[in-house]
Amino acid sequence: MIDFRLGDEYEALRKTVQDFAQNEVAPVIGGFYEREEFPYDLVAGMGRMGLFGLPFPEEFGGMGGDYFALCLALEELARVDSSVAITLEAGVSLGAMPIYRFGSDEQKRRWLPALCAGEALGAFGLTEPGGGSDAGATRTTARLDDGGGDWVINGSKSFITNSGTDITRLVTVTAVTGQKPDGRKEISAIIVPSGTPGFTVAPKYSKVGWNASDTHELSFDDCRVPAGNLLGERGRGYAQFLSILDEGRIAIAALSVGLAQGCVDECLRYVNEREAFGSKIGAYQAIQFKIADMETRAHTARLAYYQAAAKMLRGEPFKKEAAIAKLVSSNAAMDNARDATQVFGGYGFMNEFPVGRFYRDAKILEIGEGTSEVQRMLIARELGLPS
Ligand SMILES: Cc1cc2nc3c(=O)[nH]c(=O)nc-3n(C[C@H](O)[C@H](O)[C@H](O)COP(=O)(O)OP(=O)(O)OC[C@H]3O[C@@H](n4cnc5c(N)ncnc54)[C@H](O)[C@@H]3O)c2cc1C
């Protein structure tokens, strides 16, 4: 039988994160956003709550939960703010997860405890200035030096989340390490600790949204790291990152649902206060229908990510469901942000109200971790259509 009720532990987590978002994040995040400042204290608070360790085993400093628990936390955070939510999403699913999934025991013991505690952040460097959707076109190279003791990395990566904070400890990058027998590029994943000579973090970007999250371009100029920093098998880097992105799409879907639901929350408050033509605007059917549509989108998108997560946790193939969840959820976030801004009228265009922030934060959800076009390509491929 199908049962969509959350178990007690999931429900308790959801409630705890909801309280944190409303009581700790909501009062201060607007200021961080305006100042384009990374909210270190909030990140430390999420660390103390164990959010960065949610899906990892206790032996590595994690909470022993699962990926769905992470998704619930992301949804509740993004209901209030997406910069904080993406910092957690990228820290866990892009920073720590590749090390947990593909790292050696030594790599896990070295890196995971601080990442799980939220005391350190890891980043994931796949996208390059020359292209993100076509990640196989990677131009960054890594060659073993003559003695075979070090990788020497050259190239650059674009738009890398969590890569330049004071607590960023590492970035895992994809690089071409040779050629396969069939002539294709051999791409491997390599861990580069922050501060390694030859590894430069550019000043932060000026962004449309996610303004309290950390994003930089990275460059590598004869950057040397030990040969042992190879993550997983040589030549498997591309496949590893694609599988990390499949999971990450469920997390981004959850974050998108949070933003979509946050739009409903804000509108429900506002339309019962704001008056026009002698009535609360919530009495007008045009406004009610907008809010009903917003709730419908958030609800259906939530079902899509719950189902994708359920398949993933059961160990079943979930590529198509994750792409569908990301596609519908990011659409829902965009549509809801546009409608919520409309409901707020002129105040929707003012940064002092969260819906303005939601509007600016929604667009990236149709771009990051695979654009909407890429999701459609994946869904079509899973349906057996030629690629
Ligand atoms: C704030 C932010 C944070 C990010 N964080 C990270 C990060 O931590 N790590 C990381 O590696 N990357 C990160 N990214 C990069 C992000 O994943 C890429 O921007 C995204 O995958 C798209 O790649 P692109 O920007 O190169 O666009 P392109 O790949 O150049 O695409 C341009 C347009 O062409 C379309 N397109 C491309 N190919 C096709 C096709 N075959 N058919 C139809 N349409 C196509 C795309 O859908 C898009 O509309 C981040 C980006 C942003 C903006």
Side-chain angles (χ1 to χ4, degrees):
M1 287 295 289
I2 296 175
D3 185 350
F4 284 102
R5 280 173 306 181
L6 295 180
D8 290 346
E9 283 191 18
Y10 286 136
E11 188 53 46
L13 171 74
R14 200 190 63 71
K15 182 77 182 67
T16 305
V17 179
Q18 184 181 50
D19 290 346
F20 174 79
Q22 282 172 359
N23 300 330
E24 310 290 329
V25 179
V28 297
I29 196 62
F32 283 101
Y33 202 86
E34 283 287 298
R35 298 189 299 274
E36 301 191 359
E37 189 182 327
F38 189 77
Y40 286 100
D41 287 350
L42 294 176
V43 170
M46 294 195 290
R48 284 191 295 275
M49 288 165 70
L51 301 189
F52 285 91
L54 271 176
F56 302 109
E58 288 169 22
E59 65 170 310
F60 299 118
M63 298 289 283
D66 58 32
Y67 209 84
F68 183 61
L70 170 68
C71 290
L72 288 176
L74 291 171
E75 182 184 336
E76 288 305 328
L77 286 172
R79 250 173 114 162
V80 170
D81 179 67
S82 289
S83 295
V84 169
I86 192 60
T87 300
L88 176 65
E89 194 276 342
V92 176
S93 89
L94 303 180
M97 194 57 89
I99 294 175
Y100 174 61
R101 291 254 185 263
F102 309 113
S104 64
D105 205 51
E106 191 195 331
Q107 287 168 335
K108 291 182 206 179
R109 292 197 187 286
R110 175 172 175 197
W111 299 110
L112 286 179
L115 296 177
C116 287
E119 291 161 6
L121 288 170
F124 171 95
L126 181 68
T127 306
E128 300 197 352
S133 305
D134 185 10
T138 301
R139 288 192 196 144
T140 297
T141 60
R143 62 174 171 80
L144 280 174
D145 67 2
D146 290 343
D150 286 339
W151 290 106
V152 183
I153 305 171
N154 282 286
S156 51
K157 299 285 174 183
S158 305
F159 314 132
I160 307 306
T161 305
N162 287 345
S163 59
T165 72
D166 295 348
I167 56 171
T168 300
R169 211 53 80 73
L170 67 101
V171 54
T172 304
V173 295
T174 46
V176 179
T177 48
Q179 203 176 30
K180 293 192 169 179
D182 62 7
R184 284 182 304 148
K185 289 174 178 173
E186 176 196 86
I187 298 176
S188 305
I190 299 172
I191 300 171
V192 183
S194 299
T196 305
F199 169 21
T200 309
V201 179
K204 68 183 177 193
Y205 291 97
S206 167
K207 301 191 298 261
V208 169
W210 282 0
N211 282 350
S213 94
D214 179 76
T215 325
H216 300 265
E217 179 161 322
L218 311 178
S219 57
F220 303 90
D221 184 11
D222 282 339
C223 171
R224 281 176 175 268
V225 298
N229 282 24
L230 180 71
L231 185 68
E233 226 179 285
R234 181 170 175 169
R236 295 285 303 156
Y238 186 52
Q240 287 169 3
F241 271 47
L242 291 187
S243 74
I244 287 293
L245 286 176
D246 280 336
E247 295 176 355
R249 282 174 189 134
I250 306 178
I252 293 291
L255 193 157
S256 305
V257 169
L259 189 151
Q261 194 67 54
C263 291
V264 178
D265 297 342
E266 293 300 323
C267 284
L268 287 177
R269 264 196 287 278
Y270 189 70
V271 301
N272 287 321
E273 291 165 9
R274 180 74 175 174
E275 290 186 6
F277 299 98
S279 295
K280 304 274 192 241
I281 61 171
Y284 296 118
Q285 199 178 45
I287 297 281
Q288 291 181 1
F289 279 13
K290 257 194 185 50
I291 297 174
D293 284 347
M294 289 162 62
E295 175 71 5
T296 303
R297 291 184 205 113
H299 176 80
T300 49
R302 182 178 298 108
L303 294 181
Y305 100 68
Y306 273 27
Q307 196 255 357
K311 287 196 88 171
M312 176 189 161
L313 293 190
R314 284 200 301 269
E316 295 171 10
F318 63 94
K319 194 184 268 293
K320 184 180 77 176
E321 288 75 11
I324 290 172
K326 200 222 168 214
L327 184 60
V328 298
S329 306
S330 55
N331 277 342
M334 262 309 266
D335 289 345
N336 282 15
R338 188 191 57 238
D339 281 357
T341 306
Q342 192 69 16
V343 165
F344 271 66
Y347 289 110
F349 204 61
M350 297 297 123
N351 281 326
E352 66 180 286
F353 286 91
V355 291
R357 188 158 29 91
F358 291 166
Y359 189 76
R360 291 167 65 181
D361 288 342
K363 183 59 202 168
I364 179 61
L365 300 169
E366 295 185 321
I367 297 171
E369 297 201 26
T371 64
S372 295
E373 291 76 17
V374 166
Q375 306 314 314
R376 291 186 173 95
M377 282 159 58
L378 291 168
I379 295 163
R381 204 175 295 158
E382 289 295 305
L383 291 172
L385 294 167
S387 53

